[in-house]
Amino acid sequence: MDKHLKRFLVGVRQVLVISPPVEYQRPGKKGFSRDAEALRGDARKVGKNLRKTINRHGEPVYHR
């Protein structure tokens, strides 16, 4: 019975978010838009590097 009660209370806590887990960090103001901007910048860097590598080695080879 004690085991079931603990599991029930843990479930209630998760639903009501009484105390969020320690590892969860709430995003700051405009946190998601800043993250999206950073991801866009990373994608641009990867694309630029990929284009440079393709140009250096010639045409890409397509394998099927």
Side-chain angles (χ1 to χ4, degrees):
M1 181 69 180
D2 185 41
K3 186 172 162 181
H4 295 291
L5 181 61
K6 284 182 183 179
R7 287 183 180 175
F8 175 75
L9 292 176
V10 166
V12 169
R13 189 184 117 221
Q14 288 178 352
V15 170
L16 297 177
V17 190
I18 294 171
S19 63
V22 176
E23 66 269 3
Y24 179 75
Q25 296 179 359
R26 293 189 184 267
K29 197 170 191 175
K30 296 188 179 184
F32 291 111
S33 61
R34 286 182 187 153
D35 190 32
E37 187 177 319
L39 287 171
R40 256 190 308 276
D42 291 344
R44 280 190 205 109
K45 288 179 186 177
V46 169
K48 183 178 178 182
N49 192 347
L50 185 58
R51 273 191 299 279
K52 189 187 332 179
T53 303
I54 289 172
N55 290 336
R56 188 178 337 147
H57 294 289
E59 292 295 316
V61 178
Y62 296 103
H63 297 283
R64 287 187 181 216

